[in-house]
Amino acid sequence: MPRKPTNFLMGALVAVPVTLTVAAPASDLMAATQSDAAMASVSQDHIKELFFAAARAGRDDLLSGLIRSGMKPDERDAHGYTALIIAAYSGQARTVDVLLSMGAEPCATDPKGNSSLMGVAFKGNVAIAQRLIAAHCGVNSRNDVGQTALMMAALFGQIEVVKLLLANDADPRLQDRSGNTASSLAQQQGNQQIVPLLMRPAGGG
């Protein structure tokens, strides 16, 4: 779908009431009311599109303006993603900061239980991972199949994220629903350089 001009999209934020200047039959008034409702719905759809597009593109000015205008920081798109999940996955570190400062839940999950920390763990974005951990997104949180951010980082060979998670008390002994640990996943993918990092003895700090 072609991108709409910013001025047009921002214009959707202003609701302009329709004024009837002449008398009209009741049927016409009902039709006009239904039309106005449909237009309002379309307008809201455009606002949501703008909100999530701003998160993806790092347009912090639009994002913060929409939140101040009443958009919920943890609003979800059609796929169940929050703006924070989208911004984190898209590598928009400053946008992540903006959303967190405006009340976004740092560890909100998608419909499969994946948090934004899990998303950046497998993408290897250390800076955003640090921000999410500092905002108290639990490093040992699990998705619907029992996977943790550490497992994802190990699986995709993201050694710096593995180090960061371990330094913040990620537990390498946890198993997913298939019995995999972060270490076994790393081994399966040939990420041997990660395996020694994950050999924390039982009861270790």
Side-chain angles (χ1 to χ4, degrees):
M1 183 176 67
R3 175 173 288 183
K4 298 178 178 66
T6 300
N7 288 342
F8 174 81
L9 289 168
M10 290 304 291
L13 299 177
V14 182
V16 180
V18 176
T19 303
L20 297 176
T21 56
V22 296
S27 59
D28 290 347
L29 290 174
M30 182 176 295
T33 300
Q34 292 172 343
S35 176
D36 290 346
M39 289 178 65
S41 176
V42 170
S43 177
Q44 288 301 314
D45 288 342
H46 283 315
I47 292 171
K48 280 191 176 185
E49 287 177 12
L50 177 61
F51 183 64
F52 295 113
R56 186 173 292 105
R59 287 296 306 274
D60 305 330
D61 53 340
L62 297 182
L63 199 68
S64 57
L66 287 166
I67 293 174
R68 285 194 295 268
S69 296
M71 181 70 72
K72 295 178 181 178
D74 291 322
E75 185 71 46
R76 293 180 181 272
D77 69 4
H79 303 289
Y81 302 128
T82 66
L84 182 62
I85 291 173
I86 292 171
Y89 188 85
S90 301
Q92 301 292 354
R94 188 174 61 182
T95 303
V96 168
D97 288 339
V98 169
L99 286 164
L100 290 172
S101 71
M102 300 191 80
E105 168 55 50
C107 227
T109 57
D110 68 16
K112 294 183 179 180
N114 297 303
S115 68
S116 40
L117 181 59
M118 294 173 188
V120 299
F122 84 77
K123 294 201 77 175
N125 196 314
V126 176
I128 295 180
Q130 288 174 323
R131 286 164 162 79
L132 294 169
I133 292 170
H136 307 295
C137 182
V139 295
N140 291 314
S141 297
R142 299 170 181 264
N143 64 14
D144 291 351
V145 294
Q147 296 169 331
T148 65
L150 183 62
M151 292 178 192
M152 293 184 180
L155 180 65
F156 287 90
Q158 303 295 356
I159 189 167
E160 295 306 319
V161 178
V162 167
K163 291 178 180 178
L164 173 67
L165 291 168
L166 290 172
N168 286 276
D169 298 321
D171 190 345
R173 298 163 297 183
L174 297 178
Q175 298 181 356
D176 66 16
R177 289 188 179 178
S178 297
N180 297 304
T181 63
S183 179
S184 67
L185 290 169
Q187 291 179 35
Q188 290 169 27
Q189 295 301 311
N191 299 324
Q192 298 301 329
Q193 74 278 21
I194 288 177
V195 175
L197 300 174
L198 299 167
M199 293 296 137
R200 177 189 295 177

